[in-house]
Amino acid sequence: MFTWNFQYVSKARLAEAFSQLMLDSKKGDILVRIHTAIHMEEEAVDLARFIKKLAPEAHIFGTSTSAIISWGKLIQNQCVVSVTQMSRGTVRTALLPTFTEDGLPVPEEELARRVRDAVVEKDTRLMLTFLTGKYLGVYNFVEKCNDVFPGVQMIGGLANTSEINLRRFLDSGFVFNETGYSDKGIILASISGDEVESFSSYATGVQAIGEESEITDTFGTCVLSVNGRDAAREYRIGVGNELKDRPELTNLFPYVYSDASDIPIFVRFSDDRSLSEIFDRDEPMNRVWYQSHQGLDVESKRELICANHNVRAGKKLKRAFIYDRKVITDNRSLFRRVENFEKAETIFGYSCIARSMIYSNCVKWELSAYENSNMCGCITEGEIAHVDGRNTFANCSFVVAVIGEEPATQKYNPYAFSHTDSLVADNRELLNYLYNIEHELSVKEDPAADSLKAFVRDCELKLLYSDKDEIPNAAAMNMDIKLKGYDRICMINVIDTEAMKMVFPEQLIDLTYKSFTSKCVSFAKQKGYSVYVISDWHLAVGAPSYMFALSEFVADMEQLQKELFETAEDYIAIVPIFCVLDDCTVEDLNPAYNSARLEMANKNIQFSVRDAKQGQLDEESIRERYRMVNVINYAISHDKVIPYFQGIYDNNTGSIHHYEALMRLQDENGKIYYPGSFLDVARSYGLLYDSLSKMMISKVFEKFRNISGRSVSMNIGMRDIKNRDMVEFIYEFLSTVEHPENFVFEILENEDIDDYDMMMAFVDKVHELGGQISIDDFGSGFSNLQHIANIHSDFLKIDGSIVKNCVDDEQSANLIKLISGWKTLSSQKFMIIAEYVENQEIQDLLLNFGIDYSQGYLFSRPGPELEQV
C-alpha cells in the first residue's frame, strides 16, 4: 500500500500527476479520496468523472469541506486528491441515500444494514464514512453499526462547507463520486484484507464535571427538558445570562453523554425562534415530532438548545468544558499510539470545525505533530470516532486512523508537544469568562445562580490547579492578581534542571523536586502567602501589597532562598533564582519578569527586586514597535532581507580567513536597518523571526554553495534549533553541498538554552554532516564552562563587550587571558575569535594573549559583497 496527496490546481496538472504514479489495478485496488472546499456540487462530480477516466478501476470517495488536511497541514480554500494503491487488500465504495422517496429518513438500523450489504466484508478493518447534516439520526445510526457489523472501525463525519453559524447547526455539505452528488446521502469506503491492520482513536480535550442529569423530553434535535425542568433555561443559568449576547459560549461549555464522558456534545442556544421555525411542518421527517407533542406551544418564540443530531429522552448527560491542558494530554496520548503502530502506510485525519471556533490555534497545533506524514483528511461538522472498541458520533474531536498492509513508518514531529504557548493563549477566553462570572457573583447575591456558582467552582478546580502537584497554577495566580489584588509576586526558578538529567537518576530528581515544592508551599503557608506552580521547577509566591509591606515580603523571600540553598545530602543541590516583582498586573507580569531575567543573567545575580512598571513602553515606543513590525513584514514579502558579510582576520597568516553573515533589512525607501533595531521585535512575534531567519540562512547558503576555499558563519538561536523545518532545511543542505565544512553555525551562548539534549543533537548532526559549530558571545552568560564542556565546538567567539573594554579594563583583559589559557589546558581543539576589534591597541593585546582570529572594523566593515582576500 502507498498513498500520495495532491492539491488540485488544474485537470492538466492532475493528469500529469496520475501518469507519474503509474497506478495499476492489477497490483491491487485503488482508492481516490477527494475533499474539496472550492467546488460546487456539479463541479465536484465533474472532477470525479475526470479522475475516473484517468484511473478507470479506481474507487472514488468525495466530500465537501470547509478546509482540507494534506501532508498533515491545514489548508484553506483548496481541494485535495489522495490516492491509495493497495497491494493485497480490497476497497469497496458506495454512495447511498439516507432518505426515502417519501422524504423520510431511512431508519438507523435499516441504514446500517444497507451499509453492511454494500461495502462490509468478513475481513473489513476500516470504513471511511461521511454523511450530510440533513440526516439527524447520525448518532443512533453509528450506534447501530456496532451491532450490525461489529469489529469494523469507522472514521469520518459530517460533510460541511465554509458557512458558519453560532446559533444553529448547518446542513449545507454534500457527498459525491463519479455517478453524482447528494446532500441527503452517505458515502462509504471500506478497506479489507487479511494482512490489513488499522488503528483508530481520537482527542477531544473535554472534561466532564458536575452531577448527572437525564433528558426527559426532546423535539427532534432540541432538548426540551432535563430532569423535568426547562433544558434551555437550565443551560443558560448554568452558563450565565451573557449567553444571550454571546452564542459562541456554547462552544466552551458542551454536554457529554455519561456513557462516553470524553466525547463532547455541542448545542446551539437561541431565544428568538419557535419550534415551528426550526422544524418545517411540511417535512415528512418532522411529522412524528408534531404528532407526539400535540399540546405543546410550537409557535411562540422561546429559549431553545439544539444539537446536530436527534436526541433521545432517557439519555444521561453531564456538563463539561474544554481546556488547553486536557487538549494537550489527549493529543499526546493519541500521538504515542499512532507513532507506535507498526503498519503505518496511510494516515487519515479529520477535525471538527468547532475546535477552531473554540481555540483558533488548536487544529493547526495538533496537526503539526503529523506534518510531513501522508495524513490526508478535512474539517467536518461532526466526527465518527472509534472509542474503547466501539464507534460513536462525536463533536469537536480530532480523529485519526492509521492503516497498512506491511510495516512502515511515517515522518512525525514530536517537537510539537514542546510548543503549547498558542493553546495556553487560546485558553484565556475561558479564563476571562470565569473571572467575569466570579466577579459578578461576588458583588451580588442571586439564589437562582447556585448552579452557576457550582459550575464555576468545578471548572476552576480543573483549570486552576497543577495536574502534577495539586497546587494552584499560573491561571490561578492571574485570577488572584485580577480579583484579589495580589500585586506582589516573587518568581522562583531553578536553573540547570536539564543538566540534572545527564547526571542524576530520575527518582532522585523527582525527590528533589518534591522537596523544593514542599519547602516553598510550607513556607508560604506559614507566612500567609499564596504559592503557584508555573511549570516544572518554576514556582511563584504571591501576596497583596495592602496586607504585606515590600520590605517584609523581600526579607521573607531572601529567607526562603537561603533555606532552599541549604539542601540536605539526600537531595541534589539546586540554584533557585528569585525575582520579586512589585505593583503587578496580569498584563505586565510576564514582560517585567522576562526583562528582569535577562538583566539578572547578564549581571550573574540570583536575587532581584523590580517594579513591574519599570521599563514599560510609552506611546511613542509602542508606535515605533509597530512601525518596525511593518518594516519586517515589508522585508519578508519584498525579499529585502539582505546578508552583509564581515571578514574575520587570521592573526597567524595576516589575511581574511572566513566571513560572518550579518542580517540587514531594507525598507521601501531603501533605508538599511541593523539587527539591534528589529531582531528583538521579530523574536517577540515568533513567526516573524522564523521567516527572517529562514530567508537569511537560505541566502547565505546560496551565495556560498558553489564557493570553495571560503567559509561563512551565521547565527542560530535556540528557537531555530527547536524549529523542525529550519533544522531539516539545514541538514538537507549540508548533506547535498560539496563543501559542508565551509558553513559554521554560531550558537548564541547568551540565549536561555532550555533544552540541552536538543541542542546537543543539533551540534552532533551538523558535525556528522561535515559542518562546523561556533559558540557566539562567550562570556556574556553565566553557565559558560558547562556549555563548553558539553559542546564540541570548532570556534569560540569572545563577547564584544569584553573585547572592546580590554585595554582600559583590567578584568576584561584578565578574562580574555583566562579564556586563552583555558584553551591550552583543554582536551578539545577549538579556535578563539575576538569580535569588536576596533583599534590597534586592542589587536596588540589580543596578539599578546595568542588569540587566533580578530573580527572588527580594524580589519573589515560589513557589506553586501565579499571583500577580496
Side-chain angles (χ1 to χ4, degrees):
M1 174 192 295
F2 80 85
T3 294
W4 200 260
N5 306 323
F6 310 93
Q7 280 179 237
Y8 176 76
V9 177
S10 66
K11 287 182 177 178
R13 292 281 293 274
L14 194 62
E16 181 183 348
F18 266 72
S19 66
Q20 292 174 351
L21 286 179
M22 295 184 292
L23 299 171
D24 186 354
S25 60
K26 294 179 181 178
K27 295 180 180 178
D29 286 354
I30 301 166
L31 171 64
V32 177
R33 286 181 295 145
I34 309 169
H35 297 299
T36 181
I38 58 174
H39 293 95
M40 301 296 287
E41 291 89 335
E42 293 291 353
E43 294 171 332
V45 174
D46 180 64
L47 175 60
R49 288 171 179 162
F50 179 75
I51 291 174
K52 190 71 173 178
K53 290 179 181 178
L54 297 176
E57 303 300 324
H59 301 269
I60 297 179
F61 175 103
T63 79
S64 64
T65 183
S66 53
I68 66 165
I69 297 169
S70 179
W71 300 106
K73 294 182 177 69
L74 181 69
I75 306 171
Q76 307 285 341
N77 303 317
Q78 290 290 337
C79 169
V80 64
V81 178
S82 181
V83 181
T84 299
Q85 167 87 65
M86 304 295 292
S87 296
R88 291 171 293 279
T90 59
V91 174
R92 293 177 66 182
T93 55
L95 176 60
L96 305 176
T98 52
F99 286 77
T100 66
E101 293 181 358
D102 298 330
L104 292 170
V106 176
E108 293 92 339
E109 188 169 354
E110 172 61 25
L111 183 59
R113 286 197 293 267
R114 293 184 185 182
V115 168
R116 177 197 61 196
D117 296 342
V119 298
V120 176
E121 300 180 275
K122 290 182 179 180
D123 54 0
T124 296
R125 302 289 184 255
L126 183 69
M127 185 164 68
L128 304 179
T129 309
F130 263 81
L131 302 95
T132 60
K134 286 184 168 61
Y135 188 75
L136 300 175
V138 56
Y139 184 90
N140 295 331
F141 157 70
V142 177
E143 288 296 311
K144 295 295 182 184
C145 288
N146 292 307
D147 301 325
V148 174
F149 43 90
V152 176
Q153 297 177 22
M154 299 172 68
I155 187 173
L158 296 180
N160 72 344
T161 62
S162 57
E163 292 183 68
I164 295 175
N165 192 304
L166 292 171
R167 294 194 178 273
R168 64 181 186 273
F169 290 103
L170 301 175
D171 55 9
S172 53
F174 61 92
V175 293
F176 65 94
N177 61 16
E178 74 279 10
T179 66
Y181 73 89
S182 175
D183 62 356
K184 291 184 176 180
I186 180 173
I187 193 161
L188 308 145
S190 67
I191 302 175
S192 310
D194 289 337
E195 297 181 32
V196 174
E197 294 181 16
S198 68
F199 167 79
S200 180
S201 193
Y202 65 100
T204 64
V206 71
Q207 177 67 54
I209 55 175
E211 297 180 356
E212 188 176 76
S213 301
E214 182 177 341
I215 300 174
T216 46
D217 194 13
T218 65
F219 194 105
T221 61
C222 283
V223 182
L224 297 180
S225 66
V226 174
N227 291 341
R229 296 189 292 270
D230 185 282
R233 181 178 181 276
E234 291 293 308
Y235 184 81
R236 174 177 53 77
I237 291 174
V239 172
N241 288 323
E242 199 173 342
L243 180 64
K244 290 186 175 183
D245 300 318
R246 295 183 59 195
E248 71 273 12
L249 290 174
T250 58
N251 289 329
L252 292 175
F253 304 112
Y255 282 112
V256 295
Y257 288 134
S258 296
D259 55 359
S261 61
D262 55 353
I263 298 292
I265 302 298
F266 281 92
V267 294
R268 292 285 181 259
F269 174 89
S270 65
D271 59 0
D272 59 352
R273 305 174 74 201
S274 66
L275 285 169
S276 62
E277 289 177 290
I278 298 174
F279 299 96
D280 187 348
R281 288 179 181 272
D282 295 330
E283 282 283 346
M285 66 178 180
N286 294 332
R287 291 172 191 161
V288 62
W289 307 115
Y290 284 101
Q291 290 170 1
S292 61
H293 291 81
Q294 293 185 11
L296 182 67
D297 179 4
V298 297
E299 303 299 333
S300 300
K301 289 179 171 51
R302 56 178 290 183
E303 293 182 338
L304 292 167
I305 55 171
C306 297
N308 63 347
H309 60 276
N310 286 336
V311 185
R312 295 200 313 264
K315 290 287 286 184
K316 302 291 181 64
L317 295 173
K318 279 190 172 185
R319 299 287 302 280
F321 69 103
I322 294 172
Y323 69 112
D324 58 335
R325 283 185 291 140
K326 190 66 162 57
V327 170
I328 294 165
T329 300
D330 284 2
N331 271 282
R332 278 181 174 151
S333 175
L334 170 62
F335 177 79
R336 280 195 298 270
R337 287 177 286 176
V338 170
E339 186 183 32
N340 291 329
F341 186 76
E342 186 178 356
K343 294 185 176 182
E345 291 185 292
T346 299
I347 306 180
F348 306 100
Y350 298 102
S351 189
C352 188
I353 184 67
R355 291 183 85 71
S356 57
M357 293 167 70
I358 297 169
Y359 288 145
S360 59
N361 296 302
C362 180
V363 176
K364 288 184 179 180
W365 173 79
E366 58 197 359
L367 282 173
S368 64
Y370 304 92
E371 283 185 4
N372 301 316
S373 74
N374 67 13
M375 175 183 278
C376 176
C378 66
I379 300 301
T380 71
E381 191 71 30
E383 299 72 55
I384 297 172
H386 193 66
V387 181
D388 296 331
R390 288 179 65 82
N391 301 303
T392 191
F393 178 70
N395 283 122
C396 199
S397 301
F398 174 44
V399 295
V400 176
V402 57
I403 190 168
E405 297 171 296
E406 297 178 356
T409 57
Q410 295 272 347
K411 289 184 179 179
Y412 298 115
N413 177 24
Y415 302 116
F417 298 108
S418 301
H419 301 279
T420 59
D421 293 350
S422 60
L423 287 183
V424 174
D426 283 343
N427 208 47
R428 287 178 189 145
E429 182 179 356
L430 175 58
L431 287 168
N432 286 335
Y433 180 69
L434 294 176
Y435 294 156
N436 295 335
I437 290 295
E438 183 160 305
H439 177 69
E440 289 177 14
L441 295 177
S442 66
V443 298
K444 65 178 181 179
E445 290 295 328
D446 183 0
D450 286 345
S451 65
L452 177 56
K453 292 178 183 178
F455 180 65
V456 169
R457 282 194 298 271
D458 287 341
C459 288
E460 289 177 353
L461 284 173
K462 292 293 182 182
L463 281 166
L464 305 181
Y465 285 82
S466 163
D467 289 332
K468 181 177 179 181
D469 309 287
E470 296 185 357
I471 301 171
N473 60 17
M477 178 181 69
N478 290 339
M479 184 172 277
D480 284 348
I481 293 172
K482 202 164 188 175
L483 296 178
K484 298 180 181 179
Y486 278 48
D487 56 351
R488 192 159 284 154
I489 302 293
C490 178
M491 292 290 196
I492 307 170
N493 195 16
V494 177
I495 64 172
D496 286 344
T497 56
E498 286 296 322
M500 283 186 198
K501 298 175 184 177
M502 301 169 63
V503 180
F504 299 105
E506 185 178 347
Q507 185 177 12
L508 182 57
I509 295 173
D510 188 51
L511 286 172
T512 304
Y513 175 77
K514 288 177 179 176
S515 172
F516 162 64
T517 55
S518 107
K519 280 185 177 181
C520 292
V521 169
S522 61
F523 184 92
K525 186 176 181 181
Q526 178 187 348
K527 298 292 183 177
Y529 304 141
S530 295
V531 67
Y532 313 92
V533 174
I534 309 303
S535 61
D536 282 351
W537 298 100
H538 185 182
L539 304 184
V541 176
S545 60
Y546 62 82
M547 290 183 63
F548 302 94
L550 179 59
S551 58
E552 177 187 358
F553 187 72
V554 169
D556 286 340
M557 294 303 101
E558 288 175 335
Q559 177 62 33
L560 175 57
Q561 187 183 47
K562 182 180 178 182
E563 292 182 12
L564 291 172
F565 269 125
E566 295 171 353
T567 306
E569 292 183 3
D570 296 338
Y571 304 108
I572 304 165
I574 60 175
V575 181
I577 306 298
F578 276 57
C579 180
V580 176
L581 299 164
D582 194 39
D583 197 17
C584 295
T585 65
V586 170
E587 291 72 26
D588 61 29
L589 175 61
N590 283 327
Y593 176 58
N594 291 334
S595 176
R597 274 291 304 277
L598 285 174
E599 184 179 327
M600 292 172 72
N602 288 332
K603 294 180 178 179
N604 193 17
I605 58 176
Q606 284 78 47
F607 195 100
S608 173
V609 181
R610 185 188 184 100
D611 189 314
K613 301 294 186 291
Q614 180 182 336
Q616 283 196 350
L617 296 177
D618 55 26
E619 183 176 344
E620 186 175 342
S621 299
I622 293 171
R623 290 183 186 278
E624 175 59 23
R625 184 181 180 87
Y626 279 106
R627 188 186 75 83
M628 189 52 62
V629 170
N630 289 332
V631 169
I632 295 168
N633 277 318
Y634 175 85
I636 291 170
S637 59
H638 292 81
D639 194 27
K640 296 299 181 182
V641 179
I642 304 171
Y644 272 39
F645 301 95
Q646 184 176 31
I648 297 176
Y649 183 79
D650 188 329
N651 290 328
N652 294 311
T653 65
S655 62
I656 298 297
H657 178 266
H658 66 282
Y659 301 85
E660 180 179 5
L662 304 165
M663 189 189 302
R664 303 288 188 265
L665 302 186
Q666 187 179 71
D667 67 13
E668 64 269 29
N669 299 314
K671 180 179 177 180
I672 297 296
Y673 292 82
Y674 291 76
S677 63
F678 63 80
L679 209 52
D680 285 344
V681 175
R683 283 194 178 108
S684 69
Y685 283 88
L687 293 177
L688 287 182
Y689 172 81
D690 293 343
S691 297
L692 289 179
S693 188
K694 183 74 174 288
M695 291 181 74
M696 175 68 179
I697 290 178
S698 298
K699 290 189 172 187
V700 175
F701 280 172
E702 285 308 307
K703 190 169 188 70
F704 281 80
R705 175 187 289 274
N706 298 315
I707 296 178
S708 60
R710 291 192 188 182
S711 301
V712 64
S713 66
M714 61 210 90
N715 290 319
I716 189 164
M718 209 48 222
R719 181 180 175 92
D720 297 305
I721 293 171
K722 287 183 173 182
N723 183 337
R724 183 176 178 179
D725 284 343
M726 174 65 85
V727 296
E728 288 192 348
F729 172 68
I730 291 171
Y731 297 159
E732 183 177 358
F733 177 81
L734 291 178
S735 64
T736 57
V737 74
E738 186 176 355
H739 295 287
E741 69 277 4
N742 288 347
F743 297 89
V744 183
F745 299 91
E746 294 192 12
I747 297 175
L748 300 173
E749 194 281 328
N750 62 351
E751 280 203 353
D752 186 10
I753 297 176
D754 56 358
D755 193 329
Y756 278 94
D757 292 341
M758 188 176 291
M759 183 186 65
M760 292 298 294
F762 173 78
V763 170
D764 292 344
K765 187 67 174 179
V766 167
H767 279 137
E768 178 188 325
L769 295 171
Q772 299 192 73
I773 294 292
S774 174
I775 293 183
D776 197 10
D777 295 334
F778 183 73
S780 60
F782 54 86
S783 55
N784 302 280
L785 291 180
Q786 179 184 339
H787 286 198
I788 297 301
N790 291 335
I791 302 173
H792 174 209
S793 60
D794 304 284
F795 298 91
L796 185 151
K797 183 180 286 187
I798 304 173
D799 185 62
S801 64
I802 299 171
V803 176
K804 65 184 178 182
N805 294 320
C806 66
V807 172
D808 301 318
D809 180 49
E810 186 178 354
Q811 279 191 320
S812 295
N814 287 338
L815 185 53
I816 296 173
K817 183 178 181 181
L818 176 67
I819 294 170
S820 178
W822 184 72
K823 173 194 169 183
T824 62
L825 298 174
S826 173
S827 60
Q828 291 191 24
K829 302 299 180 185
F830 58 87
M831 308 299 280
I832 298 177
I833 303 171
E835 60 181 349
Y836 282 81
V837 182
E838 298 174 346
N839 56 58
Q840 190 61 47
E841 285 183 284
I842 295 175
Q843 175 66 2
D844 290 342
L845 188 64
L846 297 175
L847 291 174
N848 187 44
F849 289 148
I851 301 302
D852 302 296
Y853 301 102
S854 295
Q855 177 181 357
Y857 284 0
L858 181 63
F859 301 104
S860 172
R861 288 182 175 269
E865 300 300 329
L866 300 179
E867 295 181 10
Q868 295 299 318
V869 179

